[in-house]
């Protein structure tokens, strides 16, 4: 398992706990004592977690705008945190191609969500990627054709 893939899994676990407990602080030191990872994974996971927490209001606003017939609060906790982390990557991590972000979000949804989660995550993130003007540069990537693969699985 790659360092960033592992980091995304750990970030999802931290965000899930944060969402469930609703604490203002992030108990990262406690988490890392229980789940040891490489320094690279830890750094990337913490970047994702801090970014999602810092921009949560904006992320939730965009997710709610594009998730037809869903409010963020009604979404399963796993789904909304995969969406938050994926959208954070799309908007703020220029070094991560959209294809990678989408594939990773879909894989997390398949692993941790219910049987419909991967399709839901793909649909919401793809719609945001296709529509949001801030993502025009990532949208222009020649790798975009793979983004719709979940519908063919």
């Amino acid at each position: 398992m790659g360092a960033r893939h592992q980091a995304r899994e750990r970030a999802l676990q931290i965000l899930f706990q944060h969402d469930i407990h609703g604490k203002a602080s992030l108990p990262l030191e406690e988490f890392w004592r229980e789940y040891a990872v490489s320094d690279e994974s830890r750094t990337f996971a913490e970047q994702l977690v801090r970014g999602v927490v810092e921009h949560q209001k904006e992320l939730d606003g965009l997710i709610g705008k594009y998730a037809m017939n869903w409010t963020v609060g009604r979404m399963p906790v796993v789904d909304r945190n995969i969406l938050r982390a994926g959208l954070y990557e799309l908007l703020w991590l220029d070094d991560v191609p959209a294809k990678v972000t989408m594939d990773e979000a879909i894989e997390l949804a398949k692993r941790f969500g219910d049987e419909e989660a991967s399709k839901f995550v793909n649909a919401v993130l793809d719609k945001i990627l296709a529509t949001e003007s801030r993502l025009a540069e990532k949208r222009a990537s020649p790798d975009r054709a793979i983004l719709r693969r979940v519908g063919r699985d």
Side-chain angles (χ1 to χ4, degrees), residues 97-118:
K99 174 187 174 214
V100 172
T101 298
M102 296 291 292
D103 284 348
E104 288 287 331
I106 292 164
E107 289 306 313
L108 286 172
K110 285 179 179 179
R111 178 155 185 215
F112 295 104
D114 66 20
E115 61 187 46
E116 295 297 315
S118 62

Side-chain angles (χ1 to χ4, degrees), residues 18-153:
H18 179 69
D19 204 351
I20 292 292
H21 299 296
K23 293 181 181 177
S25 65
L26 297 168
L28 295 177
E29 289 307 317
E30 290 176 37
F31 182 85
W32 295 125
R33 276 194 292 276
E34 190 168 333
Y35 299 99
V37 296
S38 69
D39 289 343
E40 182 183 357
S41 290
R42 180 177 174 161
T43 299
F44 189 66
E46 287 184 6
Q47 179 183 14
L48 289 175
V49 169
R50 287 192 173 101
V52 167
V53 170
E54 180 181 337
H55 298 284
Q56 184 173 328
K57 187 173 182 174
E58 182 179 359
L59 295 168
D60 286 356
L62 284 169
I63 292 165
K65 177 180 175 181
Y66 291 101
M68 302 305 274
N69 302 316
W70 281 93
T71 62
V72 175
R74 281 187 46 232
M75 291 176 189
V77 177
V78 169
D79 295 3
R80 74 174 162 241
N81 283 294
I82 292 170
L83 287 168
R84 286 170 176 160
L87 185 53
Y88 172 77
E89 276 193 46
L90 287 172
L91 290 170
W92 282 281
L93 300 184
D94 294 334
D95 66 319
V96 181
K99 174 187 174 214
V100 172
T101 298
M102 296 291 292
D103 284 348
E104 288 287 331
I106 292 164
E107 289 306 313
L108 286 172
K110 285 179 179 179
R111 178 155 185 215
F112 295 104
D114 66 20
E115 61 187 46
E116 295 297 315
S118 62
K119 293 176 186 175
F120 178 69
V121 165
N122 183 60
V124 174
L125 289 178
D126 188 54
K127 188 162 191 160
I128 294 170
L129 181 60
T131 308
E132 278 300 304
S133 60
R134 290 183 289 173
L135 294 170
E137 193 171 308
K138 283 204 176 186
R139 191 168 43 245
S141 169
D143 300 326
R144 191 152 187 281
I146 197 167
L147 299 180
R148 299 187 188 276
R149 76 174 174 78
V150 170
R152 296 191 306 260
D153 286 351

